Amino acid sequence: MDDTTWEQKLQALTHVLTSPTNSPPLHSQLFVSSQIPCYLNWDYPPVFCTKFRYIHWRWGLSLFLRRVSRFGLPQTSWRSKCPYQQPPPLTLAKGVEEAKWGDDEKREYVRKRLRRKRLGCHVNPLIPILVPNLLLLSLFFWDPFAANGS
């Protein structure tokens, strides 16, 4: 990617941002791969890359491993968890309902969000107090800096 100019990078970035998708069409893949030929870690294949040997096998393997690691589920992000965002996300995350724009539906959505439990870990309040104190107490019985000979 170091041999491409800033103009080519800007054109490819503009194209990707103006047409976001999880499965780009063929003409989009060819355009981006002609602008930035040797970028391996995304959905656009390195069609015109001649810099590396076996780049197509490596790209195919990396794409396969990325999809296998998600167990075949579509790629989602924080945008996918926001159904009321404009423009709406391409794929909603699992468990998120599609946005309903009526006044009653929005009111019900806000009430449901407010009824949810607070996010955070529920740790017994004694643990953050006891663990450091027990570690300090253990230093009374065990000297970690004692010399080997004494």
Side-chain angles (χ1 to χ4, degrees):
M1 192 163 155
D2 296 330
D3 55 348
T4 58
T5 64
W6 279 104
E7 187 175 328
Q8 289 174 320
K9 292 177 186 178
L10 185 63
Q11 287 176 352
L13 179 65
T14 305
H15 176 74
V16 169
L17 290 177
T18 55
S19 58
T21 180
N22 286 339
S23 56
L26 183 61
H27 65 86
S28 176
Q29 293 178 14
L30 288 175
F31 173 74
V32 172
S33 64
S34 67
Q35 297 296 315
I36 303 175
C38 292
Y39 195 50
L40 187 64
N41 296 325
W42 63 359
D43 293 330
Y44 298 94
V47 177
F48 299 114
C49 183
T50 57
K51 189 188 296 187
F52 304 109
R53 294 181 63 200
Y54 307 114
I55 187 87
H56 300 291
W57 287 101
R58 288 177 52 203
W59 175 80
L61 182 65
S62 70
L63 184 67
F64 173 74
L65 291 177
R66 273 186 278 145
R67 290 185 180 172
V68 165
S69 68
R70 291 191 310 256
F71 299 110
L73 296 172
Q75 185 176 3
T76 57
S77 68
W78 65 269
R79 286 192 73 234
S80 304
K81 296 175 177 68
C82 307
Y84 289 98
Q85 184 177 5
Q86 286 296 324
L90 295 171
T91 55
L92 283 174
K94 186 178 178 183
V96 177
E97 302 166 358
E98 194 170 333
K100 298 179 181 121
W101 292 97
D103 288 337
D104 295 334
E105 288 94 357
K106 283 195 250 181
R107 218 173 273 119
E108 182 62 33
Y109 178 76
V110 169
R111 286 185 186 133
K112 187 169 75 173
R113 291 286 303 259
L114 291 175
R115 277 186 296 215
R116 286 196 311 198
K117 289 192 302 185
R118 242 183 86 214
L119 288 177
C121 54
H122 305 287
V123 177
N124 189 332
L126 291 177
I127 292 176
I129 296 170
L130 287 179
V131 170
N133 286 331
L134 287 175
L135 288 173
L136 288 173
L137 184 65
S138 70
L139 291 176
F140 284 124
F141 301 112
W142 173 67
D143 186 11
F145 301 111
N148 292 338
S150 58

